[in-house]
Amino acid sequence: MASLDRVKVLVLGDSGVGKSSLVHLLCQNQVLGNPSWTVGCSVDVRVHDYKEGTPEEKTYYIELWDVGGSVGSASSVKSTRAVFYNSVNGIILVHDLTNKKSSQNLYRWSLEALNRDLVPTGVLVTNGDYDREQFADNQIPLLVIGTKLDQIHEGKRHEVLTRTAFLAEDFNAEEINLDCTNPRYLAAGSSNAVKLSRFFDKVIEKRYFLREDLVSKNCNLLPYSAPPFYP
Amino acid sequence: MRQLFKDYEVRQYVVQVIFSVTFAFSCTMFELIIFEILKVLNSSSRYFHWKMNLCVILLILVFMVPFYIGYFIVSNIRLLHRQRLLFSCLLWLTFMYFFWKLGDPFPILSPKHGILSIEQLISRVGVIGVTLMALLSGFGAVNCPYTYMSYFLRNVTDADILALERRLLQTMDMIISKKKRMAMTRRTMFQKGEVHNKPSGFWGMIKSVTTSAPGSENLTLIQQEVDALEELSRQLFLETADLYATKERIEYSKTFKGKYFNFLGYFFSIYCVWKIFMATINIVFDRVGKTDPVTRGIEITVNYLGIQFDVKFWSQHISFILVGIIIVTSIRGLLITLTKFFYAISSSKSSNVIVLLLAQIMGMYFVSSVLLIRMSMPLEYRTIITEVLGELQFNFYHRWFDVIFLVSALSSILFLYLAHKQAPEKHMAP
């Protein structure tokens, strides 16, 4: 059963935005009944058909690593979290549509995960001098997901959605807005499901099919080789 | 307010207003004490301001804040959403009842005054506040030298951290492989047409005992193993974070700043031991100090050292400085502790309740510190407080403070000792 290929995707975001609910929805197609705090990291696995419906269809395991905590944590917690950022193939950034601060913190989250190999300088990029160039040569696919869509009034929806569109553009990523307590947002065939599927396909492509170009460029993409653990 | 809510938005305007108002009135009380010493305003107007201030604070502490706390707690529970007001009133009445019962075992009830007089309310608020203060100072007195002194730091090497990290990653891998099996099983079951439903309701549970598909049995077994492994991974994560923190502290203690704090730690630990000693003596010998430190200090200098100076003039200034320092450090210490506490336990759901709880605690803390500050002031300044607060038995409060302080200090020593002993054993195990 462990013979299928695997791919590692991080799920990052502030405390309380709904990462655990989202991961549960993606992997088990069920709504999480009693969400509680994530201490450390919780992992779940989704079985994904790459290039579904074509002759090249192949099944992969996608590991969703849901890392808990906040950007303002003590540096000891940050150093401990850094052990999970090894050889990542894709990142899902989650923010809360009702909480503007969580969207702004996504910049810091992405920097924390992507700059893992650089020496930490203690200078955090704030919204004012955000440099899009840093993400221009980023090889790891990103996806931005906004949660708690149901808690926004109809009148404010337009304004909130424009804001998140800018956010996704900054990251050069797709965006999905949904409510984790309602599985119909990710029903098969809906535009959200198509975007999700495309994102996972992109991650798998970058990991397995374009390997030759990228090994020299970015050491983050070394093939993920884990010790063989058979249950 | 900005500091406290850096990462979360407290939506309700009311909560912010209540918190600020409580804080403002508490500070006004302290200002009045200072004015008392400096004799700034007219004496009768000072008296009037005292009364008014006390009334408002008591109103807020006893009536408004508990009501809002009940209201927000009830709104968090989804079931009772409809009858919010009714349930919050019920909660408030329960609170008032317990608040009243609190007064019975203590010798503070005097039959002369009515039910809702200021003395009754203050006495109860004072009891709660003094208990709180004593608990916090007891714990702080023991914790402070423990954190500052590097004698207690365990030795942590990089190899330890790496070994722990490796264990953490191995555990995560084990969890992943089990989850893969589960996902695959679920997928094959789904494709074969069996739908795995959680048994719902009473009959569902009975049915599932007798007939259960082999696939779902397997799943529950693996799920249990996964739960155990996840618990283990959480433990490992927390231990690793702990090791990193200790390593940072060791590095910090080698710098100059660290050495300075280390020295302060020794000084503080002596002070704390002295305080514990004094508390024990007070209780054992049933003695409550009659004079304040300032007058005693002046007496000592005058009698033993033979230095003659104008007692009245100096006593005013010295007591002013002393009281000012006490007030400032206690406010600062309280706010810092509250901020740390708030960061540790805040979440977007319960932030309203927590802010109100903090406002309540802060109000009670300040009221009781006014009570206790009376001890440190010379006789002529005490009169106004005694006048305003009526016939409270101040000696009782000081005794009570000493008792709780001692209990809290001893239990925190015990607690820290146990925690300290446990930690090295965990790391020695392979």
Side-chain angles (χ1 to χ4, degrees), chain B residues 48-287:
Chain B
F48 170 70
H49 275 113
W50 265 109
K51 278 275 186 205
M52 186 188 74
N53 210 9
L54 271 176
C55 284
V56 172
I57 283 207
L58 283 177
L59 199 73
I60 295 182
L61 277 184
V62 177
F63 294 113
M64 282 184 60
V65 176
F67 177 71
Y68 272 112
I69 291 182
Y71 180 73
F72 280 115
I73 288 184
V74 170
S75 0
N76 267 341
I77 308 177
R78 285 187 185 193
L79 278 166
L80 308 169
H81 213 67
R82 299 293 168 79
Q83 300 104 344
R84 267 186 300 201
L85 275 175
L86 181 67
F87 276 103
S88 47
C89 283
L90 275 177
L91 270 179
W92 184 72
L93 285 174
T94 337
F95 170 76
M96 287 306 288
Y97 177 69
F98 279 117
F99 192 64
W100 217 251
K101 276 284 173 209
L102 200 60
D104 287 341
F106 297 113
I108 46 183
L109 214 56
S110 72
K112 278 196 281 183
H113 303 272
I115 293 286
L116 273 186
S117 66
I118 290 194
E119 283 80 10
Q120 300 267 359
L121 292 178
I122 283 204
S123 55
R124 285 173 172 78
V125 169
V127 166
I128 301 180
V130 164
T131 319
L132 210 65
M133 269 185 79
L135 279 174
L136 280 180
S137 5
F139 180 68
V142 173
N143 197 28
C144 176
Y146 182 70
T147 20
Y148 277 162
M149 285 168 41
S150 53
Y151 174 70
F152 293 112
L153 284 182
R154 303 183 293 276
N155 210 4
V156 170
T157 61
D158 277 336
D160 291 335
I161 297 188
L162 275 178
L164 213 59
E165 279 183 353
R166 211 174 308 138
R167 271 183 69 191
L168 182 59
L169 284 177
Q170 280 176 359
T171 321
M172 302 303 297
D173 279 329
M174 279 162 52
I175 296 181
I176 290 180
S177 51
K178 292 208 194 295
K179 291 230 163 157
K180 284 181 185 168
R181 274 178 61 189
M182 278 171 55
M184 217 30 156
T185 325
R186 249 186 297 202
R187 190 169 137 113
T188 38
M189 269 172 46
F190 183 66
Q191 281 171 348
K192 281 192 206 152
E194 305 166 25
V195 179
H196 174 62
N197 276 325
K198 292 214 178 81
S200 54
F202 189 56
W203 291 117
M205 280 197 342
I206 294 199
K207 253 202 282 181
S208 70
V209 165
T210 51
T211 63
S212 52
S216 54
E217 254 182 23
N218 224 357
L219 277 183
T220 27
L221 209 63
I222 305 186
Q223 181 66 42
Q224 284 172 354
E225 291 173 18
V226 164
D227 286 337
L229 281 178
E230 278 184 343
E231 187 59 43
L232 178 64
S233 79
R234 276 192 279 265
Q235 296 273 4
L236 287 175
F237 181 81
L238 288 177
E239 270 183 46
T240 321
D242 205 26
L243 281 190
Y244 269 114
T246 321
K247 185 164 156 236
E248 272 173 26
R249 273 178 58 193
I250 292 182
E251 279 177 19
Y252 180 72
S253 73
K254 296 196 178 118
T255 65
F256 274 130
K257 240 176 135 182
K259 290 200 172 117
Y260 168 68
F261 275 117
N262 193 19
F263 174 69
L264 271 189
Y266 280 116
F267 182 66
F268 271 129
S269 52
I270 296 182
Y271 172 70
C272 295
V273 167
W274 181 74
K275 270 195 90 162
I276 296 182
F277 188 59
M278 291 303 291
T280 330
I281 289 196
N282 277 343
I283 295 177
V284 168
F285 290 119
D286 200 16
R287 171 183 84 97

